[in-house]
């Protein structure tokens, strides 16, 4: 079955370290997204990418970076510049040429040690 | 910039009763989609219902229906015959066709009282 795989499920980071969250999809979707979820804040858009080698900042991009070298992969790096990285991170994708909703991964919970 | 507002952080409804969750959005676009997602404690995101902006008819999926008021930029979700399994966070989402940006509201936590 096609879907989105996020790994790892739980991730711990020491202060001052960069960490990369993986997101892979085998749905052949063009567009991919990263969201951050905090209690009471809903899902906030970090970055999204409509096509390979292109991406746009969302509403809370500061302290994060992404790459889109392959259609199926959209990794998110949480840099040391992100002062409050503890959160639940969700990756999603869509087929840009349809009205279908987003497919979501199961998420990664990032915590600071 | 587009925004999505859910003004009810929490709501409660008696089992078998009907409840309506509110959502308003702000956009200058004319071509877009609206969605309601359910997120149970497992944190899995589950699509409840979707609406194309160009369609005047309100979408319906079994016990779930929407009241889409395009001029008022309102997109409320009605859940009929509420069941214990409906207890979850509900998120309203907006997608523009112009640049595929998809944004969410802050969510409404729905409690079902037995």
């Amino acid at each position: 079955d096609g879907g989105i795989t996020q790994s790892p499920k739980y991730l711990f980071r020491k202060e001052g370290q960069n960490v990369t969250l993986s997101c892979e999809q085998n749905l052949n979707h063009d567009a991919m997204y990263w969201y951050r979820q905090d209690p009471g804040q809903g899902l906030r858009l970090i970055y999204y990418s409509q096509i390979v080698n292109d991406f746009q900042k969302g509403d809370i991009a500061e302290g994060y970076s992404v790459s889109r070298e392959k259609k199926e992969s959209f990794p998110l790096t949480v840099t040391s510049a992100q002062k409050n990285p503890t959160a639940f991170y969700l990756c999603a994708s869509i087929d840009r040429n349809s009205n279908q909703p987003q497919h979501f991964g199961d998420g990664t919970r990032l915590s600071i040690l | 910039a587009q925004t999505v507002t859910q003004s009810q952080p929490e709501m409660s409804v008696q089992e078998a009763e009907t409840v309506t969750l509110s959502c308003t959005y702000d956009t200058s676009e004319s071509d877009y989609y609206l969605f309601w997602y359910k997120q149970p404690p497992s944190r899995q995101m589950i699509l409840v219902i979707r609406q194309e902006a160009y369609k005047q008819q309100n979408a319906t999926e079994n016990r779930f229906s929407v009241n889409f008021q395009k001029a008022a930029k309102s997109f409320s979700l009605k859940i009929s015959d509420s069941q214990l399994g409906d207890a979850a966070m509900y998120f309203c989402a907006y997608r523009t066709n112009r640049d595929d940006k998809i944004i969410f509201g802050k969510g409404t936590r729905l409690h079902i009282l037995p």
Side-chain angles (χ1 to χ4, degrees), chain A residues 6 9 13 15 19 22 24 26 30 32 38 43 47 58 64 67 71 76 81 90-92 97 100-101 104 106 108 110:
Chain A
Q6 288 188 243
K9 192 174 180 68
R13 187 192 98 169
E15 287 199 36
V19 63
S22 171
E24 303 278 332
N26 59 3
D30 294 303
M32 298 185 73
D38 297 281
L43 276 68
Y47 271 98
Y64 300 95
S67 63
K71 187 175 185 179
L76 173 73
L90 278 165
C91 180
N97 297 315
Q100 296 302 306
F104 283 87
D106 290 335
T108 293
L110 175 63

Side-chain angles (χ1 to χ4, degrees), chain A residues 33 35 37 40-43 45 48 50 59 88 90 94-102 104 109, chain B residues 33 35 37 39 42-45 47 50 52 54 91 95 98-107:
Chain A
Y33 303 77
Y35 294 92
Q37 186 174 13
Q41 293 293 324
L43 276 68
L45 182 62
Y48 67 108
Q50 292 175 282
D59 300 320
F88 185 68
L90 278 165
I94 61 166
D95 176 355
R96 294 179 62 204
N97 297 315
S98 82
N99 65 353
Q100 296 302 306
Q102 286 175 305
F104 283 87
R109 172 72 183 176
Chain B
Y33 301 102
F35 305 90
Y37 284 90
Q39 188 184 47
S42 67
R43 291 207 167 185
Q44 182 184 9
M45 294 291 286
L47 176 73
R50 66 172 176 258
E52 290 89 344
Y54 65 85
F91 293 102
R95 170 189 170 186
R98 179 176 54 82
D99 61 6
D100 296 314
K101 187 175 183 179
I102 303 175
I103 58 174
F104 287 77
K106 292 186 176 183

